[in-house]
Amino acid sequence: MDSIIISPELPRNDVLLLRNLADDIQRCQQNPGPPSNGSAKSSGGSVKHDSSAPGRKAVNGTAGYDDLSSRDERDLASMKALNDPANQGFEPTVFCSVDLQDLSSRLHPLIYRYILLPYVRWAQGIARHPSDVVMVTHLILYFTTSVPSAIWLFYHFTYLHGIVHFIMQFYYLGTYTLMMHQHIHGGGVLRKQPLIHLFDIAFPYITDPLMGHTWNTYYYHHVKHHHVEGNGPDDLSSTIRYQRDNVWHFLHYVGRFYFLIWLDLPLYFLRKDRPTFAVKAAFWELFNYATLLTLFRLNSRPTFFVFILPLMLLRAGLMVGNWGQHALVDADEPDSDYRSSITLIDVPSNRYCFNDGYHTSHHLNPRRHWRDHPVHFLANKQTYSSEHALVFHNIDYLEITIRLLLHHYEHLARCMVPIGERQIKMTIEQRAAMLQRCTRRFSEDEITEKFGGAVKAKAKAK
């Protein structure tokens, strides 16, 4: 019996998608015959609203439709309406923590009408997409808290302020990094009007070091390297050569990136005959280190709290997250985006980190707008099912990494949202065994066999 927990804190489209998938499972439990429109085929489950929090209640089942196709079309239409500025159902994202429609009942009517709504209209004139008011909101937040706090620490340092500043940056770091994830893939998050675009280009050089990023390394490593290689054998952050539930392998994986990325990334670009990228990646990384060293020698204490601690934290966090995203790799088709990455429908990843849980969708189209990921999933549910993609809920990448290293496969199996006949028919124990098989390291012979064709194709394309 599958237990699908639908948190009221999930974004609206996540709730629609999760209910849709849960309904597939439950229908198959009640009617194990062949479904229509590629829905899940057998076994079953229940849908629960976590009753441990206020406003949550346990509910068996989901809203039923006589026809699965019409249900999917209705859900898909609702999702698209939420994202379409021309539709009456459109709703921009203003804050990560709460939806705009909920603020109308939480705020005083005068504040909502004469402060919030005018702000939304003003911010939509600045954001690249009408839905992305939240990007403007967070830029205002960082430039009114992080930046002045950092400046004051260099002017008048106290350890209490330094600790509070670091805690604040720790809280900001995940959301900021995923905002920059949109920035590096889309060439910015603000409109391409002269002054606004200039600020869009310039602000990362101010805020990136405060959040632990070295200048431009995220762009060169993630866009020009990771998405080119896609967790394949030439990906410096590839997981395929590691036993992905082994603590020592994990520490080696994190440690290599932590201490050697300044060298490995330029060497990668040289091996790929991209000397310009190699020079740029080396320059920005080493220039950043030189700047930090200079600042540390001039004023060590604020430099440590403002720049070095966030850098140390983020470098570890990026690899912990990437391990969780690419730890479960199918042995038969490790070069498939559907089988080498996963989808999470959870609150931390999707509400606070711009739908980072939809990692498979992101690898399929790195430039897909973050609000379109749930729409893509539902529109292509049959493909995800036939490709045996892995979907989880009520768990984030950090917990996936920890659970793997602790060999808590049964817990991971219970967090699965099974899609497709093969997964839904499995017992919890069978799913746990399947997940464990997906963590096995690949030998060099297997890598040559599984990735050889793709590597040769890339070589011919050059």
Side-chain angles (χ1 to χ4, degrees), residues 160-408:
L160 178 60
H161 184 185
I163 292 169
V164 171
H165 177 87
F166 175 68
I167 293 172
M168 177 179 67
Q169 297 306 98
F170 177 81
Y171 178 75
Y172 289 165
L173 191 145
T175 302
Y176 176 83
T177 296
L178 272 300
M179 183 183 78
M180 288 309 301
H181 184 245
Q182 307 306 312
H183 192 283
I184 61 177
H185 277 293
V189 294
L190 305 180
R191 287 187 181 273
K192 293 185 177 180
Q193 297 172 358
L195 290 179
I196 295 175
H197 188 53
L198 179 63
F199 177 77
D200 201 16
I201 294 171
F203 82 78
Y205 291 94
I206 300 170
T207 53
D208 272 6
L210 300 177
M211 305 290 181
H213 290 270
T214 50
W215 291 311
N216 293 317
T217 299
Y218 192 23
Y219 170 76
Y220 287 112
H221 183 276
H222 185 76
V223 176
K224 296 300 183 182
H225 152 256
H226 175 62
H227 275 282
V228 172
E229 301 298 341
N231 202 52
D234 291 340
D235 189 341
L236 298 175
S237 53
S238 174
T239 58
I240 60 175
R241 290 186 172 92
Y242 293 93
Q243 179 62 37
R244 295 174 296 281
D245 59 0
N246 183 292
V247 173
W248 299 111
H249 284 225
F250 169 73
L251 291 176
H252 180 276
Y253 176 82
V254 174
R256 174 151 190 170
F257 177 84
Y258 209 89
F259 296 108
L260 294 177
I261 193 59
W262 64 272
L263 178 63
D264 281 345
L265 189 58
L267 290 178
Y268 161 83
F269 286 128
L270 289 176
R271 289 194 300 272
K272 296 296 181 177
D273 194 25
R274 294 181 175 180
T276 303
F277 285 167
V279 171
K280 288 181 177 180
F283 168 77
W284 284 113
E285 189 75 359
L286 295 176
F287 179 56
N288 200 99
Y289 295 157
T291 302
L292 292 182
L293 179 60
T294 301
L295 287 172
F296 189 81
R297 295 183 68 177
L298 292 173
N299 202 341
S300 61
R301 292 181 299 177
T303 300
F304 180 73
F305 281 93
V306 172
F307 296 117
I308 297 178
L309 271 181
L311 175 63
M312 294 169 63
L313 176 66
L314 182 74
R315 285 285 159 106
L318 287 173
M319 287 299 98
V320 171
N322 198 76
W323 186 273
Q325 290 168 341
H326 294 286
L328 299 167
V329 181
D330 183 79
D332 296 325
E333 294 187 42
D335 58 341
S336 166
D337 287 327
Y338 292 99
R339 301 191 185 195
S340 65
S341 58
I342 61 177
T343 298
L344 304 186
I345 306 176
D346 72 302
V347 174
S349 303
N350 296 344
R351 176 165 287 284
Y352 294 98
C353 291
F354 303 105
N355 281 337
D356 189 45
Y358 293 90
H359 203 63
T360 299
S361 173
H362 175 60
H363 267 271
L364 290 169
N365 181 359
R367 292 181 64 86
R368 195 188 319 275
H369 188 263
W370 65 278
R371 294 246 312 216
D372 291 334
H373 288 307
V375 178
H376 161 80
F377 188 102
L378 184 56
N380 296 274
K381 182 173 63 171
Q382 170 60 16
T383 304
Y384 277 79
S385 172
S386 63
E387 292 287 342
H388 310 300
L390 293 176
V391 181
F392 298 86
H393 80 301
N394 202 36
I395 191 170
D396 60 21
Y397 293 118
L398 174 61
E399 186 179 352
I400 282 182
T401 295
I402 293 172
R403 296 286 183 179
L404 286 172
L405 297 177
L406 293 174
H407 293 197
H408 290 176

Side-chain angles (χ1 to χ4, degrees), residues 58-75:
V59 178
N60 288 327
T62 58
Y65 299 97
D66 292 334
D67 181 67
L68 292 176
S69 177
S70 65
R71 177 210 59 182
D72 287 351
E73 289 174 2
R74 185 177 304 182
D75 287 347

